[in-house]
């Protein structure tokens, strides 16, 4: 149960009052009662001496004069007066008739009487068997000329004292009750005044605890609360500064992690993920439920788990490469670092770099070197072989055969020159400084020019080249020479691979922002498995036929590069009727080119 500070303060005030009031009550009750008894006893003893003096002067015959004198003294002194002879007999009593005096007990051995006979006066508080209640007794001797004639005793019932004591109790109780009520009121007021600043401190401290570090406590209090307010304000300012710095650092870290191309993962010592960046999520195709989850629940890649276990066990840095399926195959270069301190292993940091493109480029480079070496080796070997034969004397022995050999050498030399030219063209287009001479061009005139160049070659195979109506097409933005090179390569391939007496059609269709140009041949078509790689360098569907036709294997790669540098797309698809294939590419219309 929660008890407020104000209630505790009120209780403390009331407890102080109860303790002090109770102590005062007990002390005053005891002190005043003792004082009253002492005062009453002294007063009664004085009256007793006075009565003894009067008896000494007025008493002649004890047995005759004692009863009336006792009655008169009792009436005057408002106390019970008893006159006792030296032998203990009661000679007179203010409250007992003279005829009944003989029935009273002998008073010689009463304590107060014995004290009076010994010292002249005596006192005692005891129970009276005659009156049946507590009585205060004082006694004194009387007589003449130094001769003790008897003892006079005054008795006062203690019921009077009880009345005084009850009045004292009522007075003290009333005072204590009034003090309690006043203390209750004032303690409520004081506790409210005292607790109000504390409530304000608690309310503002709660807001600061919730993150509102702009709140400040008032500092006008000139006491400990003022000191506390100053300390809390300083603490809030420092917390605000530290939180701002931490927020800036966190934002900077988030920006760095988000901008990293490498995937980053941090785990604790139990293998639970505590931090990842977006690149890691993209690499492993996981997005939800990462933080706090075990690594084994996020990824089932054996290489990943094996590397983590190895670093956790050996506590050494590790650099390795791994292959993961996500679902496509990816090659990753990973750098693992254990987090160590004086308490031991605290976790692992891993950085993953996607080297898939580098691997692909490496494979392409390796294939390119192999293909170039293969393509160069054939003509060079032929040229070298025929040249050595000519040098061995064939020119003199068989001039006609020598001419044939020279023609073969020339043919392979031309093929070698064509291959080198194509390689130089690709290298030139891949250079960062390469640029086209872009101008608005007419599709119709360019196509007509290319068809004229290849008409003779088509006629040799009785191939008919037809074009659609291109006059209505708008101009395109392109480099004249490069566009002609694209059309020549595609149309030349169509003539090469079309069957004897076949047909080639060249069409163009206007789109929203580009023009699509298609060349359809009547050749054997292209196997579906080969279509994705058809535009790669040196890739051939039929290597033997391609070399026989004089191809270098780079024509379609050059076409793809030129079209892409023009902002277009090149593709190929087999004809629906199964006869031949259609090569297509797009060019931007005038007014739609990129700035």
């Amino acid at each position: 149960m929660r008890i407020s500070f104000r209630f505790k303060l009120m209780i403390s005030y009331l407890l102080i009052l109860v303790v002090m009031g109770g102590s005062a009550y007990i002390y005053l009750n005891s002190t005043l009662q003792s004082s009253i008894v002492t005062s009453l006893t002294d007063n009664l003893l004085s009256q007793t001496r006075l009565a003894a003096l009067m008896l000494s002067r007025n008493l002649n015959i004890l047995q005759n004069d004692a009863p009336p004198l006792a009655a008169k003294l009792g009436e005057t002194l408002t106390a019970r007066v008893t006159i006792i002879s030296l032998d203990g007999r009661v000679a007179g009593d203010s409250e007992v008739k003279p005829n009944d005096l003989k029935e009273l007990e002998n008073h010689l051995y009463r304590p107060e009487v014995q004290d009076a006979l010994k010292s002249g006066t005596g006192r005692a508080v005891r129970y009276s068997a005659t009156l049946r209640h507590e009585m205060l007794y004082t006694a004194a001797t009387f007589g003449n000329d130094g001769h003790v004639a008897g003892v006079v005793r005054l008795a006062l019932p203690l019921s009077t004292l009880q009345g005084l004591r009850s009045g004292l109790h009522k007075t003290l109780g009333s005072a204590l009750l009034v003090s309690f009520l006043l203390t209750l009121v004032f303690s409520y007021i004081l506790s409210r005044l005292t607790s109000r600043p504390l409530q304000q401190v608690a309310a503002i401290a709660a807001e600061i605890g919730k993150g509102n570090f702009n709140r400040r406590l008032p500092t006008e209090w000139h006491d400990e609360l003022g000191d506390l307010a100053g300390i809390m304000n300083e603490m809030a300012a420092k917390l605000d500064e530290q939180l701002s710095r931490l927020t800036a650092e966190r934002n900077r870290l988030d920006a760095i992690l988000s901008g990293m191309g490498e995937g980053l993962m941090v785990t604790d010592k139990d293998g639970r993920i505590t931090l990842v960046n977006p690149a890691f999520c993209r690499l492993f195709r996981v997005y939800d439920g990462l933080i706090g989850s075990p690594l084994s629940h996020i990824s089932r890649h054996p290489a990943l788990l094996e590397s983590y276990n190895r670093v956790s066990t050996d506590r050494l840095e590790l650099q390795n490469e791994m292959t993961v399926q996500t679902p496509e195959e990816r090659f990753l270069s990973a750098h693992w670092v254990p987090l160590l301190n004086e308490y031991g292993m605290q976790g692992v940091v891993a950085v993953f770099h996607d080297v898939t493109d580098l691997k692909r480029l490496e494979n392409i480079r390796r294939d390119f070197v192999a293909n170039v070496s293969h393509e160069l080796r054939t003509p060079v070997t032929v040229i070298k072989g025929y040249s050595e034969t000519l040098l061995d004397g064939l020119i003199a022995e068989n001039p006609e055969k020598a001419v044939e050999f020279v023609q073969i050498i020339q043919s392979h030399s031309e093929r070698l020159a064509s291959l080198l030219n194509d390689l130089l063209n690709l290298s030139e287009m891949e250079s960062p400084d390469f640029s086209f001479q872009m101008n608005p061009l007419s599709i119709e005139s360019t196509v007509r020019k290319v068809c004229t160049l290849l008409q003779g070659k088509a006629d040799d195979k009785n191939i008919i080249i037809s074009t659609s109506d291109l006059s209505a097409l708008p101009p395109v933005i392109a480099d004249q020479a490069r566009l002609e090179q694209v059309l020549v390569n595609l149309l030349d391939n169509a003539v090469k691979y079309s069957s004897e007496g076949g047909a080639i059609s060249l069409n163009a269709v206007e789109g929203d922002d580009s023009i699509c140009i298609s060349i359809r041949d009547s050749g054997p078509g292209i196997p579906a498995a080969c279509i994705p790689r058809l535009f790669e360098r040196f890739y051939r569907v039929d290597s033997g036929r391609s070399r026989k036709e004089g191809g270098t294997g780079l024509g379609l790669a050059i076409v793809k590069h030129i079209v892409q540098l023009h902002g277009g797309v090149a593709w190929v698809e087999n004809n629906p009727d199964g006869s031949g294939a259609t090569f297509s590419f797009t060019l931007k219309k005038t007014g739609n080119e990129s700035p």
Side-chain angles (χ1 to χ4, degrees):
M1 182 178 66
R2 182 178 179 271
I3 301 177
S4 65
F5 176 79
R6 184 172 62 186
F7 182 76
K8 293 178 180 178
L9 202 59
M10 288 182 58
I11 293 298
S12 64
Y13 291 153
L14 294 177
L15 286 176
I16 292 174
L17 173 64
V18 170
V19 172
M20 293 183 63
S23 301
Y25 179 84
I26 295 172
Y27 174 76
L28 290 176
N29 181 53
S30 175
T31 302
L32 290 178
Q33 182 175 346
S34 176
S35 176
I36 290 173
V37 171
T38 302
S39 177
L40 188 62
T41 302
D42 292 342
N43 183 47
L44 190 61
L45 187 59
S46 297
Q47 291 180 356
T48 304
R49 289 193 184 101
L50 180 60
L53 180 62
M54 292 178 63
L55 289 174
S56 298
R57 292 180 178 181
N58 297 317
L59 187 65
N60 295 319
I61 300 174
L62 185 62
Q63 297 297 326
N64 296 328
D65 296 338
L69 285 175
K72 188 174 181 180
L73 287 173
E75 182 179 352
T76 302
L77 298 176
T78 65
R80 181 183 179 184
V81 178
T82 304
I83 300 173
I84 305 169
S85 62
L86 291 178
D87 59 359
R89 291 181 295 106
V90 176
D93 193 307
S94 62
E95 295 185 2
V96 179
K97 295 178 180 181
N99 297 328
D100 297 331
L101 293 176
K102 296 179 180 180
E103 298 178 359
L104 298 178
E105 296 179 356
N106 191 291
H107 286 32
L108 180 62
Y109 297 102
R110 296 289 194 269
E112 64 277 8
V113 174
Q114 288 292 318
D115 290 340
L117 292 175
K118 293 177 181 179
S119 60
T121 60
R123 68 187 69 184
V125 177
R126 57 184 176 79
Y127 181 78
S128 173
T130 304
L131 299 178
R132 296 182 180 180
H133 54 71
E134 291 285 334
M135 298 290 288
L136 172 62
Y137 295 97
T138 58
T141 58
F142 65 89
N144 293 318
D145 301 328
H147 176 70
V148 177
V151 176
V152 59
R153 185 186 71 176
L154 269 66
L156 187 67
L158 288 182
S159 58
T160 304
L161 182 61
Q162 294 295 333
L164 292 175
R165 185 184 300 172
S166 298
L168 177 63
H169 288 173
K170 291 180 181 179
T171 302
L172 290 177
S174 299
L176 185 60
L177 178 60
V178 172
S179 300
F180 182 83
L181 294 177
L182 290 176
T183 303
L184 181 64
V185 173
F186 285 113
S187 65
Y188 175 78
I189 297 174
L190 291 175
S191 63
R192 187 175 179 84
L193 293 176
T194 305
S195 63
R196 185 178 300 169
L198 292 177
Q199 291 175 347
Q200 188 175 2
V201 170
I204 296 179
E207 291 191 29
I208 293 175
K210 293 178 181 179
N212 185 9
F213 298 110
N214 294 323
R215 290 301 305 271
R216 294 292 184 270
L217 290 168
T219 56
E220 67 270 11
W221 301 315
H222 301 290
D223 52 11
E224 288 80 0
L225 283 178
D227 298 338
L228 177 62
I231 294 173
M232 290 191 66
N233 289 339
E234 183 179 357
M235 179 185 66
K238 290 183 178 179
L239 285 175
D240 190 20
E241 180 183 356
Q242 292 178 0
L243 183 62
S244 299
R245 184 165 57 251
L246 289 175
T247 302
E249 292 178 357
R250 185 188 62 186
N251 293 336
R252 189 181 304 113
L253 178 61
D254 290 342
I256 292 173
L257 294 178
S258 299
M260 286 179 60
E262 295 81 7
L264 176 69
M265 178 192 70
V266 182
T267 69
D268 59 15
K269 60 182 179 181
D270 298 323
R272 297 183 179 275
I273 295 178
T274 58
L275 177 66
V276 294
N277 67 340
F280 178 87
C281 298
R282 291 193 297 270
L283 283 177
F284 290 91
R285 297 293 190 272
V286 288
Y287 300 97
D288 299 326
L290 289 177
I291 305 302
S293 299
L295 181 60
S296 58
H297 291 181
I298 300 303
S299 175
R300 299 293 183 179
H301 302 296
L304 187 68
L305 300 177
E306 180 182 351
S307 300
Y308 171 79
N309 293 331
R310 180 177 174 184
V311 174
S312 300
T313 303
D314 298 342
R315 299 187 177 184
L316 298 173
E317 290 190 28
L318 175 65
Q319 292 185 355
N320 61 354
E321 291 187 357
M322 61 183 67
T323 303
V324 297
Q325 302 291 335
T326 60
E328 70 275 7
E329 186 178 55
R330 286 181 177 271
F331 298 93
L332 302 179
S333 175
H335 185 191
W336 302 79
V337 179
L339 296 176
L340 302 174
N341 60 14
E342 63 272 17
Y343 301 106
M345 182 78 172
Q346 300 301 313
V348 173
V349 177
V351 179
F352 302 91
H353 183 68
D354 188 359
V355 294
T356 304
D357 293 337
L358 293 178
K359 289 288 186 180
R360 186 178 295 111
L361 290 175
E362 183 179 350
N363 292 334
I364 292 174
R365 180 190 61 80
R366 188 184 302 110
D367 294 342
F368 177 75
V369 172
N371 290 329
V372 168
S373 301
H374 180 73
E375 295 295 333
L376 290 176
R377 182 177 58 197
T378 301
V380 168
T381 301
V382 172
I383 292 172
K384 180 176 179 295
Y386 281 100
S387 300
E388 290 175 350
T389 303
L390 291 174
L391 290 175
D392 287 340
L394 182 63
I395 298 176
E397 296 176 358
N398 191 348
E400 293 180 359
K401 196 67 174 179
V403 172
E404 181 181 351
F405 280 11
V406 171
Q407 291 175 345
I408 293 174
I409 291 174
Q410 182 183 9
S411 174
H412 283 277
S413 299
E414 291 174 352
R415 181 185 171 198
L416 185 60
S418 177
L419 177 61
L420 293 176
N421 286 334
D422 287 345
L423 289 172
L424 290 175
N425 281 333
L426 280 174
S427 177
E428 181 183 4
M429 285 186 289
E430 291 175 349
S431 172
D433 300 329
F434 178 76
S435 62
F436 287 129
Q437 297 295 326
M438 307 295 280
N439 295 296
L441 299 177
S442 169
I443 294 293
E444 182 183 17
S445 61
T446 304
V447 169
R448 185 181 303 111
K449 181 178 180 181
V450 172
C451 289
T452 301
L453 289 175
L454 295 174
Q455 187 61 52
K457 193 173 183 179
D459 291 342
D460 292 340
K461 298 180 66 175
N462 296 320
I463 295 175
I464 300 174
I465 301 177
S466 62
T467 60
S468 60
D469 184 10
L470 307 177
S471 59
L473 294 175
V476 296
I477 185 74
D479 184 296
Q480 179 70 47
R482 297 298 179 177
L483 178 57
E484 290 179 1
Q485 185 177 5
V486 169
L487 290 172
V488 166
N489 282 349
L490 293 179
L491 194 58
D492 183 58
N493 282 344
V495 172
K496 288 179 181 177
Y497 292 99
S498 292
S499 57
E500 186 80 20
I504 298 174
S505 61
L506 196 152
N507 302 306
V509 178
E510 182 180 0
D512 294 335
D513 57 358
S514 63
I515 294 178
C516 178
I517 303 172
S518 301
I519 300 176
R520 174 171 176 160
D521 61 41
S522 57
I526 302 170
C530 299
I531 289 179
R533 300 188 59 190
L534 196 62
F535 288 93
E536 293 181 7
R537 301 173 186 181
F538 299 111
Y539 185 80
R540 294 184 175 90
V541 177
D542 187 346
S543 301
R545 181 175 179 182
S546 177
R547 291 191 182 92
K548 180 180 179 181
E549 298 291 344
T552 62
L554 296 173
L556 292 179
I558 294 174
V559 167
K560 179 181 177 181
H561 272 74
I562 294 175
V563 171
Q564 288 179 343
L565 291 174
H566 277 78
V569 181
W571 70 94
V572 62
E573 55 188 358
N574 287 316
N575 297 329
D577 57 5
S579 62
T582 300
F583 287 81
S584 305
F585 65 95
T586 60
L587 294 173
K588 292 184 179 297
K589 295 189 294 186
T590 304
N592 291 283
E593 64 274 11
S594 300

